[in-house]
């Protein structure tokens, strides 16, 4: 049984917010962005180890702290000498008349794709963000409009023959349906030469005079509409969408009736690179290029837009060749481990009042002197309660037997593994089985849980689902939809590395499931986990096919999956890089294409050094050199092209 017998989960929903502890200085710092005038001209970036509570911090700030106070009240709050009391005043105001709620949205890059919701994707990720901003502002009685961005997206989908009524209803917020209908009707009825004038008339009709005047002050003319029409869809327009959304948002926030602040939270920044961290700079900076472009164009902070990003590593944006963001625009804050006093308070709030039990948990969860790892601490609390599950009403014992026999000097991964194994020891066999099955998922809900239960022959009832989603290593994935979850990356990695039988069976079921839904990239991910060579081979085959058919949106999805693939030799890495080079060359992204080809050539050189007569490696190196020569020739780099052709 789970801790559900005693109380709600330590990691789930509002319970997690109730147990939120410490971070008082970060709460104050964030609140200053909301309440100080003028707004600080910086991007607030939280970084820290995985499991340190960055996601919970963002959720807490968004749920509790997006409050803009009356100036007098704000000064009174700042006069509070104790940080904890100050943070409490920010998060739990005394009087609703003393503040206004600020619109705030959360965009989680770690969310697994679900249909058209692809948070890392240049096109669909921006559409997700635009939709969230519109919906959140509308809830608080604000109307933020994005005319040029909306037109550009509608035009793109229309030209691609992807714009069905059902599709645009899923992609745009409900309050914009009438505007979208008018634009769609205009695209089908008005000839190209007159389209720009007609679209401007629609903007004036639906946006209101104030926003239209602001757009005119931005020197919006029918030529701007025409410019969007004239852009090549896949080599120009799609890469300008971040700028169009940023410019529209800046204009919308300039209106008299706009909110004084708008907060954009971006979580799990490291998800852009998946499990691949040690990659060349050109690929590293390519992954989040659209985000940098969007933020760089958004840096008109006088409009009251607050940007908060969370990730495991400090950003390297100042080193990027394209759309760099200087350090002067970054406010980097460490989200560290908990102090012992805060860890003790966490355990007290969780219902563990015995000081000996508290100390045992703190000792085991400590990674250094006075540094307690929040994730390990939550697992310790769960272990303590799990051991008492047979008699839910009984008081917790004073001994620390639940944490005994664990290796207190182990590293983080070893401690977490031991704690998870100890937790699973206390649950029944069906739930234990389900946990390892669900670790195959990048994200799951009850339907997927039920599917796995049916196919793998374990009991998959709603009560048992509620039990397992209360463990500390099961995290909510609300950005994917209501009642979506994901198993902590650590357990997923351990199950893969140990070749857990149940997890393998789940990958087999999920590969078949996603193939049936036509989600080939997701199917390839699971196939790769079963047989890495087969998965990589299919990735290359599928990528080359959709590239030849000019289905570039599918290419982008496969490129995202690329970072999650297990690729264990240089030959296959070279094949993947060759495919990437062909994609970037097709889209006239010359520098990225060149770097991909050079990486492929270098990888095949490593293979040939070990096996000089490897026919396939020599053949593929020749293809890489030929393609590089073609690229150089197209750029009039004739001498370089001649060298590449000669080497080929």
């Amino acid at each position: 049984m789970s801790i559900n017998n005693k109380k709600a989960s330590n990691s789930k929903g509002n319970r997690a917010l109730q147990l939120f502890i410490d971070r008082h200085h970060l709460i104050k710092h964030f609140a200053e962005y909301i309440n100080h005038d003028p707004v600080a001209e910086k991007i607030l970036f939280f970084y820290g180890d995985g499991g340190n509570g960055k996601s919970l911090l963002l959720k807490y700030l968004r749920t509790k702290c997006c409050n803009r106070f009356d100036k007098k009240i704000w000064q009174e709050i700042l006069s509070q000498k104790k940080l904890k009391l100050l943070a409490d005043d920010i998060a739990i105001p005394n009087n609703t008349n003393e503040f206004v709620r600020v619109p705030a949205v959360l965009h989680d890059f770690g969310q697994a794709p679900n249909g058209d919701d692809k948070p890392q994707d240049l096109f669909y990720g921006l559409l997700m963000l635009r939709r969230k901003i519109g919906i959140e502002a509308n809830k608080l009685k604000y109307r933020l409009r994005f005319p040029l961005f909306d037109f550009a997206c509608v035009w793109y989908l229309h030209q691609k023959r992807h714009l069905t009524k059902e599709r645009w209803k899923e992609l745009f917020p409900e309050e914009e349906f009438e505007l979208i209908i008018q634009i769609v009707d205009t695209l089908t009825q008005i000839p190209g030469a007159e389209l720009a004038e007609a679209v401007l008339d629609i903007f004036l009709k639906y946006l209101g005079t104030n926003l239209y005047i602001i757009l005119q002050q931005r020197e919006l003319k029918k030529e701007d509409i025409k410019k969007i029409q004239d852009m090549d869809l896949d080599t120009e327009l799609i890469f300008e969408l971040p700028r169009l959304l940023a410019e529209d948002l800046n204009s919308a926030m300039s209106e008299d009736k706009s909110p004084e602040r708008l907060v954009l939270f971006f979580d799990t920044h490291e998800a852009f690179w998946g499990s691949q961290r040690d990659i060349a700079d050109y690929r590293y900076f390519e992954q989040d290029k659209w985000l940098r472009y969007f933020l760089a164009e958004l840096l008109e902070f006088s409009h009251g837009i607050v940007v908060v990003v969370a990730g495991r590593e400090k950003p390297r944006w100042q080193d990027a060749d394209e759309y760099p963001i200087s350090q002067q625009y970054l406010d980097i804050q460490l989200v560290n481990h908990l102090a012992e006093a805060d860890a003790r308070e966490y355990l007290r709030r969780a219902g563990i009042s015995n000081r000996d039990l508290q100390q045992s948990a703190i000792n085991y969860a400590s990674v250094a002197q006075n540094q307690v790892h929040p994730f390990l601490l939550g697992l310790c609390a769960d272990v303590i309660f799990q051991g008492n599950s047979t008699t839910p009403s009984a008081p917790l014992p004073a001994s620390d037997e639940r944490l005994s026999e664990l290796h207190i000097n182990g590293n983080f991964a070893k401690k977490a593994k031991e704690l998870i194994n100890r937790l699973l020891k206390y649950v029944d066999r069906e739930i234990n089985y389900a946990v390892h099955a669900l670790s195959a998922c990048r994200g799951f809900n009850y339907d997927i849980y039920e599917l796995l239960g049916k196919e793998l022959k374990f009991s998959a009832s709603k009560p048992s689902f509620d039990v397992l989603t209360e463990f500390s290593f099961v995290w909510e994935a609300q950005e994917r939809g209501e009642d979506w979850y994901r198993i902590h990356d650590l357990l997923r990695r351990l199950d893969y590395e140990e070749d857990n039988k149940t997890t393998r069976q789940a990958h087999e079921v999920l590969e078949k499931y996603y193939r049936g839904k036509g989600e080939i990239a997701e199917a390839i991910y699971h196939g790769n986990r079963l047989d890495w060579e087969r998965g990589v081979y299919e990735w290359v085959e599928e990528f080359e096919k959709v590239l030849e058919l000019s289905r570039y949106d599918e290419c982008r999805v496969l490129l995202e999956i690329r970072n999650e693939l297990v690729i264990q030799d240089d030959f296959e890495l070279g094949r993947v890089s060759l495919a990437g080079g062909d994609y970037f060359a097709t889209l006239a992204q010359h520098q990225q294409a060149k770097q991909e080809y050079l990486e492929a050539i270098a990888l095949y050189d490593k293979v040939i050094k070990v096996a000089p007569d490897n026919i396939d490696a020599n053949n593929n190196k020749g293809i890489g050199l030929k393609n590089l020569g073609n690229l150089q020739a197209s750029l009039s780099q004739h001498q370089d092209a001649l060298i590449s052709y000669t080497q080929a």
Side-chain angles (χ1 to χ4, degrees):
M1 299 297 291
S2 83
I3 61 174
N4 191 43
N5 290 328
K6 278 89 43 205
K7 51 176 60 65
S9 165
N10 293 342
S11 62
K12 184 178 179 182
N14 291 331
R15 177 65 176 170
L17 292 180
Q18 292 166 12
L19 295 178
F20 182 83
I21 195 71
D22 192 23
R23 318 305 189 198
H24 305 133
H25 66 294
L26 297 179
I27 292 171
K28 175 179 180 288
H29 195 59
F30 169 77
E32 289 171 346
Y33 276 79
I34 301 292
N35 289 279
H36 278 182
D37 290 313
V39 65
E41 297 187 357
K42 291 178 180 291
I43 296 166
L44 183 55
F45 197 107
F46 295 121
Y47 81 100
D49 291 343
N52 264 12
K54 298 181 296 296
S55 295
L56 182 58
L57 173 62
L58 261 58
K59 183 176 181 180
Y60 187 86
L61 294 176
R62 181 186 174 215
T63 306
K64 302 282 189 179
C65 304
C66 289
N67 307 317
R68 184 164 167 85
F69 293 91
D70 173 84
K71 290 183 179 180
K72 181 180 178 182
I73 299 298
W74 175 240
Q75 291 305 314
E76 291 176 1
I77 291 174
L78 287 179
S79 67
Q80 176 65 260
K81 293 183 179 179
K82 291 188 176 181
L83 261 182
K84 181 182 183 307
L85 296 178
L86 187 153
D88 288 345
D89 286 343
I90 291 169
I92 313 170
N94 294 321
N95 190 330
T96 56
N97 295 324
E98 296 174 349
F99 71 97
V100 294
R101 286 290 295 170
V102 169
V105 301
L106 174 64
H107 190 82
D108 184 1
F109 297 118
Q111 169 192 336
N114 183 31
D116 283 332
D117 284 348
K118 304 179 180 75
Q120 295 179 32
D121 185 75
L122 168 59
F123 184 79
Y124 293 104
L126 284 167
L127 265 175
M128 284 178 69
L129 181 61
R130 179 260 177 274
R131 187 169 65 249
K132 290 175 186 176
I133 294 171
I135 292 171
E136 178 67 13
N138 196 50
K139 284 181 184 176
L140 296 175
K141 311 302 181 186
Y142 299 107
R143 191 72 179 272
L144 301 179
R145 316 298 293 268
F146 305 90
L148 277 185
F149 177 79
D150 287 351
F151 172 73
C153 290
V154 171
W155 175 256
Y156 181 90
L157 292 167
H158 175 74
Q159 294 298 102
K160 287 283 189 177
R161 305 292 190 267
H162 291 165
L163 192 63
T164 63
K165 184 176 181 180
E166 292 73 20
R167 196 96 187 278
W168 60 251
K169 280 192 172 183
E170 293 176 353
L171 296 174
F172 295 93
E174 185 177 354
E175 61 268 18
E176 301 298 349
F177 284 175
E178 192 172 356
L179 173 62
I180 301 301
I181 289 171
Q182 287 294 314
I183 293 176
V184 172
D185 288 345
T186 301
L187 291 179
T188 57
Q189 297 173 12
I190 305 295
E194 302 172 19
L195 180 61
E197 194 72 49
V199 171
L200 280 181
D201 289 341
I202 292 172
F203 287 170
L204 180 58
K205 177 181 178 182
Y206 285 97
L207 302 182
T209 305
N210 287 340
L211 182 55
Y212 190 72
I213 290 173
I214 291 172
L215 290 172
Q216 286 185 317
Q217 290 172 348
R218 191 170 112 190
E219 298 184 349
L220 175 68
K221 305 181 181 70
K222 66 179 181 180
E223 285 77 15
D224 295 299
I225 307 293
K226 186 71 167 58
K227 191 181 297 183
I228 290 174
Q229 291 177 259
D230 290 341
M231 288 183 187
D232 182 272
L233 297 177
D234 296 302
T235 64
E236 296 175 301
L237 177 57
I238 195 166
F239 297 109
E240 289 305 308
L241 290 178
R243 174 183 61 81
L244 293 172
L245 181 59
E247 289 181 355
D248 276 350
L249 185 53
N250 284 330
S251 294
M253 289 293 290
S254 300
E255 281 197 272
D256 293 337
K257 295 182 180 180
S258 66
E260 294 185 357
R261 292 290 187 275
L262 168 71
V263 188
L264 305 180
F265 291 104
F266 296 97
D267 197 11
T268 328
H269 180 241
E270 70 275 3
F272 274 110
W273 298 274
S275 58
Q276 299 181 19
R277 293 288 189 274
D278 186 21
I279 58 178
D281 278 355
Y282 81 92
R283 269 189 58 200
Y284 181 90
F285 291 118
E286 179 65 27
Q287 300 304 118
D288 70 342
K289 183 169 73 173
W290 71 258
L291 175 65
R292 296 197 311 275
Y293 191 13
F294 172 69
L295 295 180
E297 290 293 321
L298 202 63
L299 292 180
E300 295 185 29
F301 293 106
S302 60
H303 298 323
I305 300 169
V306 177
V307 176
V308 184
V309 186
R312 291 187 182 181
E313 298 95 20
K314 293 181 181 180
R316 297 169 50 195
W317 291 337
Q318 74 278 5
D319 299 325
D321 290 331
E322 292 184 274
Y323 317 123
I325 297 177
S326 170
Q327 286 287 98
Q328 72 182 85
Y329 294 114
L330 297 176
D331 178 1
I332 299 174
Q333 298 290 327
L334 174 64
V335 180
N336 209 340
H337 306 307
L338 295 174
E340 285 195 19
D342 292 315
R344 196 175 296 278
E345 173 63 15
Y346 169 90
L347 294 170
R348 187 193 66 78
R349 291 187 189 183
I352 302 172
S353 56
N354 182 279
R355 292 190 66 84
D356 290 337
L357 283 174
Q358 289 178 357
Q359 194 59 52
S360 294
I362 289 170
N363 289 344
Y364 192 75
S366 294
V367 294
Q369 182 68 30
N370 203 33
Q371 292 188 34
V372 184
H373 199 293
F375 180 62
L376 293 180
L377 188 67
L379 285 173
C380 286
D382 281 352
V383 167
I384 290 171
F385 282 118
Q386 285 294 327
N388 203 43
S389 61
T390 55
T391 313
S393 59
L396 293 172
S399 71
D400 61 350
E401 61 187 21
R402 289 162 186 75
L403 298 177
S404 64
E405 301 175 11
L406 297 175
H407 297 84
I408 198 166
N409 295 320
N411 59 27
F412 167 77
K414 183 172 183 178
K415 286 184 175 182
K417 179 181 178 180
E418 287 187 329
L419 286 168
I420 291 170
N421 287 339
R422 180 64 61 92
L423 270 173
L424 295 180
K425 172 184 172 183
Y426 292 119
V427 303
D428 62 48
R429 186 174 298 177
E430 300 286 348
I431 293 177
N432 189 320
Y433 201 84
V435 167
H436 292 297
L438 291 168
S439 77
C441 305
R442 296 209 295 164
F444 68 91
N445 60 4
Y446 181 73
D447 290 339
I448 291 177
Y449 167 71
E450 196 172 38
L451 167 74
L452 290 173
K454 178 181 178 182
E455 296 295 327
L456 301 184
K457 311 302 182 188
F458 65 82
S459 175
S461 66
K462 188 63 170 65
S464 61
F465 181 76
D466 292 339
V467 166
L468 70 89
T469 56
E470 289 168 359
F471 288 119
S472 292
F473 54 80
V474 179
W475 290 3
E476 284 185 313
Q478 287 183 331
E479 291 304 297
R480 184 163 181 175
E482 191 172 352
D483 296 326
W484 275 84
Y485 303 88
R486 60 187 181 208
I487 301 289
H488 192 276
D489 287 346
L490 175 66
L491 178 56
R492 294 177 59 214
R493 190 179 78 240
L494 290 172
D495 276 344
Y496 174 73
E497 291 174 350
E498 295 175 359
D499 197 21
N500 183 277
K501 180 180 177 182
T502 303
T503 308
R504 282 190 62 84
Q505 292 173 336
H507 279 303
E508 291 171 359
V509 172
L510 292 168
E511 181 183 2
K512 181 179 178 181
Y513 169 73
Y514 284 111
R515 287 196 193 282
K517 291 184 66 178
E519 297 184 26
I520 301 303
E522 199 70 21
I524 289 173
Y525 166 80
H526 292 288
N528 175 252
R529 287 300 189 271
L530 292 166
D531 179 344
W532 75 264
E533 288 181 293
R534 175 171 69 86
V536 173
Y537 182 85
E538 184 180 4
W539 186 93
V540 173
E541 294 292 302
E542 182 67 20
F543 192 89
E544 290 176 346
K545 181 180 77 173
V546 295
L547 179 59
E548 186 176 352
L549 296 172
S550 302
R551 285 153 41 182
Y552 302 120
D553 53 344
E554 295 177 47
C555 289
R556 294 197 307 272
V557 174
L558 287 165
L559 284 171
E560 180 188 333
I561 288 289
R562 169 189 186 177
N563 296 322
E564 298 284 351
L565 293 179
V566 176
I567 310 177
Q568 295 183 0
D569 73 29
D570 292 327
F571 181 85
E572 297 299 340
L573 277 171
R575 294 183 69 215
V576 170
S577 292
L578 270 182
D582 292 343
Y583 167 78
F584 290 119
T586 301
L587 298 186
Q589 293 183 262
H590 303 127
Q591 186 60 29
Q592 292 91 333
K594 176 184 176 182
Q595 294 296 338
E596 291 278 10
Y597 288 141
L598 289 173
E599 180 172 298
I601 293 164
L603 287 164
Y604 288 122
D605 276 337
K606 290 171 68 176
V607 177
I608 293 167
K609 185 176 181 180
V610 176
D613 296 329
N614 186 315
I615 295 174
D616 291 332
N618 279 282
N619 181 63
N620 284 11
K621 179 184 176 182
I623 292 172
L625 286 163
K626 175 180 70 69
N627 291 356
L628 177 62
N630 292 342
L631 177 68
Q632 292 163 333
S634 70
L635 298 173
S636 299
Q637 298 170 0
H638 303 302
Q639 188 60 38
D640 290 337
L642 180 60
I643 293 171
S644 296
Y645 287 142
T646 302
Q647 290 178 342

